[in-house]
Amino acid sequence: MVVYFLKYLFASRRNFHPFLAGVILFLAAIFGTKGNAAENPPLNGFQASYFDRTIRNGPKITEVVPNIAIKFGSRGGPGHIAPAQFAASWVGRLSFDAPVTKEILVSLSWSKVRIRIDGDIVYEGTNSRRFTHAFSAGEHLVEVFYINNWHTVEFKVTFQDPVKTYSDSELFARLKLLDPQADEIVYVGLYESDTPDTGVSVQLADKGPDSGKGQLLWLDSYEAIDWTVAGGQGLRAVIVASYAPGSRVLNLSANIPVLYAEKGIGVHSKLQVKCRCVGTAFRCNNKKGPGALAETMMARTGARVVAYGAAYSAGSVNPEPFDDVVRMALERQKEEVARAKDRCSKRINPDFDTLFDNN
């Protein structure tokens, strides 16, 4: 009972007083099961151990997790360990009935990782990486060691069957093979997940496609995300694109293909575009806003955008209609930006005669 209560406390990410957080970390180390992890690693799961790397032989917090993924910000993660002092390990066993080749995708930022399989180092480095590994039939010991060196933590290791990534032309041709072809698309774009396990849920509207032909879903991100999709009707295919390797969809039925695009769209913001006149330049943030989304999606998929959801980070997304109201707002915004740019140009690049005659 004590173990479960302590796990609840650190998993809740509550803002405890630093002294109390230290007490929780210490008690979790006393009552935890870290000794059993090394002796009997879980099968098709991982025993995770989190600790402050600045405390030699210090206490560890342990838990059993289905996947290797962790993310938290400056407020601290398990046991309120500060990100810049955070280190972790994951130990588990993978079992296969027959020889198989798996793709291993590593996503990390300012940190370093070492991966051992059956005692051999298969990767060690500071960069995100995608590679394959051949497993024989039977059980295999997997060990992952992680040291963070940044003010936030974002780390993910994915084991999956090798997948093909599609260029723009290959993706367009592959979508033409769908029967019937989808002529509508829902776009979801995030920079990153804001959940500790890098997961994001997408809730599609119950209404099916207007034409009855079917819909596509495009899932776009910078960081690697574990997507789950619920609702919707007439979904023909899901397209996944991310800069960091390791994004995937966890819960789709086998008859809905998941296609991986080589290039993402990069729209991670809503309608608001903020511009300002700075020095000798006119600058706008959110350059990759939804303004050109409809044209881009039509060019890359042959489908028109009917809904979209975009944000810097989120744990769940409910796409909103991309209708005439949105399109009119985008047109007005485009005109306002053009007028502001014209005013800026006249202010930062005045005429000689006009300027000096008045001074």
Side-chain angles (χ1 to χ4, degrees), residues 26-39:
F26 178 72
L27 292 176
I30 294 176
F31 290 103
T33 57
K34 63 181 181 180
N36 295 334
E39 297 171 6

Side-chain angles (χ1 to χ4, degrees), residues 171-172 175-176 178 180-187 209 211 213-218 236-237 239 265 292-307 322 327:
L171 179 62
F172 194 91
L175 293 175
K176 290 296 182 184
L178 296 175
Q181 291 182 19
D183 60 354
E184 296 179 358
I185 189 165
V186 177
Y187 174 86
S211 66
K213 289 186 177 181
Q215 281 185 348
L216 305 173
L217 173 62
W218 187 296
R236 302 297 183 198
I239 302 153
I265 304 299
L293 183 60
E295 293 81 2
T296 302
M297 288 286 91
M298 180 60 71
R300 295 185 65 176
T301 68
R304 63 185 181 90
V305 179
V306 294
F322 194 88
R327 292 184 178 89

Side-chain angles (χ1 to χ4, degrees), residues 107-134:
S107 175
L108 71 164
S109 55
W110 295 90
S111 55
K112 56 184 177 181
V113 59
R114 170 184 287 177
I115 300 176
R116 285 201 309 231
I117 298 178
D118 297 328
D120 295 328
I121 297 176
V122 296
Y123 178 66
E124 182 172 331
T126 58
N127 298 315
S128 296
R129 183 65 57 90
R130 177 194 299 262
F131 61 97
T132 58
H133 184 81

Side-chain angles (χ1 to χ4, degrees), residues 46-51 67-70 87-92 94 104-108 112-118 120 122-123 131 141-147 155-159:
F46 300 92
Q47 181 83 37
S49 298
Y50 314 120
F51 60 97
N67 301 296
I68 300 174
I70 189 165
S89 66
W90 290 263
V91 182
L94 299 181
I104 303 174
L105 303 101
V106 183
S107 175
L108 71 164
K112 56 184 177 181
V113 59
R114 170 184 287 177
I115 300 176
R116 285 201 309 231
I117 298 178
D118 297 328
D120 295 328
V122 296
Y123 178 66
F131 61 97
L141 179 66
V142 175
E143 302 166 285
V144 176
F145 308 94
Y146 172 77
I147 300 174
F155 178 63
K156 188 173 187 290
V157 177
T158 305
F159 297 82

